[in-house]
């Protein structure tokens, strides 16, 4: 299913290069913080293909920075169709929101974690050496 859908895409362009930023990536990825986790150029190209299919199947995703890094990690341990299925399952889970998909949700999750840390974190006294 994954590769059949990708073969229908004509407008998405990929550039093979040593630099990750030369690979065409969807707009919902944070271009300043790309981590490929030592994937080869072919692996980065496969990750870009997977993300191209995901953005074409889910145009409502506007901001999801960790999805590129997750796809690179998944590609170390599974083939591209299994990677696609895992990412799609994380993005489309009805029970839990595993990955935030908008800028507002991303910012809100940061503030929730900050508030929970203030409420439940135990402060430890600092030891001063003389």
């Amino acid at each position: 299913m994954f590769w059949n859908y990708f073969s229908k895409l004509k407008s998405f362009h990929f550039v093979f290069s040593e630099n990750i930023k030369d690979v065409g990536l969807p707009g919902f990825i944070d271009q300043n913080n790309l981590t490929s986790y030592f994937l080869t150029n072919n692996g980065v190209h496969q990750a870009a293909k997977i993300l191209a299919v995901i953005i074409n199947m889910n145009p409502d995703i506007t901001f999801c920075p960790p999805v590129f890094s997750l796809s690179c990690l998944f590609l170390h341990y599974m083939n591209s169709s299994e990677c696609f299925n895992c990412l799609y399952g994380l993005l489309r889970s009805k029970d839990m929101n595993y990955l935030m998909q908008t800028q507002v949700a991303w910012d809100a999750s940061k503030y929730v974690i900050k508030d929970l840390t203030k409420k439940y974190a135990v402060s430890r006294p600092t030891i001063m050496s003389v």
Side-chain angles (χ1 to χ4, degrees), residues 39-127:
L39 274 183
T40 62
N41 285 341
N42 189 25
V44 172
H45 185 259
Q46 285 181 352
K49 281 183 180 180
I50 291 167
L51 295 178
V53 173
I54 285 176
I55 192 61
N56 282 305
M57 291 177 71
N58 304 299
D60 57 326
I61 300 173
T62 58
F63 189 75
C64 192
V67 77
F68 177 75
S69 299
L70 279 174
S71 66
C72 291
L73 282 174
F74 287 162
L75 284 173
H76 276 289
Y77 300 103
M78 48 185 85
N79 64 31
S80 52
S81 63
E82 292 171 339
C83 174
F84 170 78
N85 289 332
C86 287
L87 285 176
Y88 194 76
L90 287 172
L91 288 168
R92 290 292 152 206
S93 174
K94 299 291 183 197
D95 299 333
M96 297 286 293
N97 254 347
Y98 293 110
L99 296 173
M100 307 307 160
Q101 299 175 19
T102 62
Q103 180 75 41
V104 173
W106 182 261
D107 291 337
S109 68
K110 289 190 295 188
Y111 293 124
V112 167
I113 291 172
K114 179 181 167 186
D115 291 343
L116 288 173
T117 304
K118 284 181 181 178
K119 184 175 180 178
Y120 293 109
V122 178
S123 62
R124 297 181 184 187
T126 57
I127 300 173

